[in-house]
Amino acid sequence: RGCHQANGSDEPRAKAADMRKGSIKPTAATSREPKPPPRDRGELSWGALTKALQLEIDEVIGIWRMAAEQGHTQSQLNLGSIFLPGHGVKQDYVEAVRWFRKAAELGDAGAQSNLGVAYANGEGVKRDIGEAARWFHKAAAQGDAGAQCSLGLAYTHGFGVKQDYDEAASWFRKAAEQGDVKAQFNLGTMHFQGHGVKQDFTVAAQFYRMAAEQGHTGASEALKEYEDIFRNGTATLPSTCACCG
């Protein structure tokens, strides 16, 4: 899960291949014409395919579960990651958190970050921003960009930690340097406003541009607003950083 984010489409219907005339001839034992395929053949084939895929998913989950129970952190993380959205299994936040916690306690940065998000959102556990910040810090210290951005957000707003713009800017910078788009936008905003860093419109524009190149709408809008500085000497931007959620 990224810095602190189902579906449904019509099932494809398989088309039965056209039977060429004369391609199937009666044998000496019978002169009956071959029976045409049933009308719902495509539906039956799709159903069989779906069932086969589910069997494969169940098999993979079984393998992950066996490995996870033996302390394999990647398998624990995998299980948490499928139970959280309900991919191939029934969605279960509590079960997701259970596996994230096992991997997190063994030091897996991704699981620590996911556990922090669970506490921040109250998914599978009682909402606790202090506990969220604690897990974000553990993951961030290991270089997890999403956790670094989320920790920057925590310090920006004082979520579970004492508000500290300097600390926020430091964590946003670490995440931004790894390409985290929301951290780049937030760091641009901090440079624009002079929160935790010296106010510098040029540096702000650089980080906004980095985020905009990755498709961040807010960064693109900020760049337009940034241009007004040269024309009017003023600009209006949000008073706080964007949420890293």
Side-chain angles (χ1 to χ4, degrees):
R1 302 174 73 174
C3 178
H4 199 151
Q5 4 241 284
N7 43 5
S9 60
D10 294 336
E11 294 183 346
R13 299 173 58 92
K15 294 182 179 179
D18 292 333
M19 297 177 62
R20 297 179 180 177
K21 293 183 179 180
S23 61
I24 300 178
K25 297 180 180 180
T27 62
T30 176
S31 60
R32 291 179 299 172
E33 292 295 326
K35 294 182 178 180
R39 292 181 180 180
D40 61 350
R41 184 173 182 177
E43 294 178 347
L44 290 173
S45 297
W46 179 251
L49 175 61
T50 301
K51 184 176 181 180
L53 289 174
Q54 185 60 52
L55 288 174
E56 290 186 12
I57 291 172
D58 291 343
E59 183 178 355
V60 170
I61 292 174
I63 293 173
W64 283 346
R65 191 179 293 276
M66 286 190 294
E69 290 173 349
Q70 295 181 43
H72 188 263
T73 56
Q74 184 60 54
S75 295
Q76 293 168 342
L77 180 60
N78 290 345
L79 286 173
S81 297
I82 62 172
F83 277 108
L84 188 70
H87 287 165
V89 294
K90 182 179 179 180
Q91 187 180 50
D92 190 332
Y93 289 143
V94 174
E95 187 69 1
V97 167
R98 186 171 80 86
W99 288 112
F100 286 149
R101 189 182 304 281
K102 287 181 180 292
E105 290 176 346
L106 290 174
D108 186 275
Q112 291 170 344
S113 182
N114 288 348
L115 190 55
V117 173
Y119 273 108
N121 296 336
E123 296 175 341
V125 290
K126 183 178 179 181
R127 187 169 186 266
D128 186 332
I129 57 176
E131 191 67 3
R134 187 173 77 86
W135 285 109
F136 285 145
H137 203 290
K138 286 179 178 291
Q142 294 194 67
D144 186 279
Q148 290 170 342
C149 183
S150 294
L151 191 56
L153 175 69
Y155 277 109
T156 299
H157 298 287
F159 290 159
V161 293
K162 183 178 179 181
Q163 187 179 51
D164 187 330
Y165 287 136
D166 291 347
E167 194 72 8
S170 176
W171 287 111
F172 282 145
R173 185 176 301 280
K174 291 178 186 294
E177 290 174 349
Q178 293 194 68
D180 188 286
V181 63
K182 291 181 180 179
Q184 292 170 344
F185 173 75
N186 288 346
L187 190 56
T189 299
M190 297 195 84
H191 275 286
F192 192 94
Q193 298 171 340
H195 287 170
V197 291
K198 181 180 179 181
Q199 187 176 51
D200 190 322
F201 296 142
T202 300
V203 175
Q206 292 173 350
F207 282 107
Y208 283 145
R209 191 167 293 111
M210 289 180 190
E213 289 174 353
Q214 294 195 66
H216 194 286
T217 303
S220 298
E221 294 174 352
L223 281 171
K224 294 178 182 178
E225 200 67 41
Y226 173 79
E227 293 297 329
D228 291 340
I229 293 176
F230 298 100
R231 293 193 297 269
N232 306 320
T234 60
T236 302
L237 286 178
S239 60
T240 59
C241 293
C243 175
C244 290

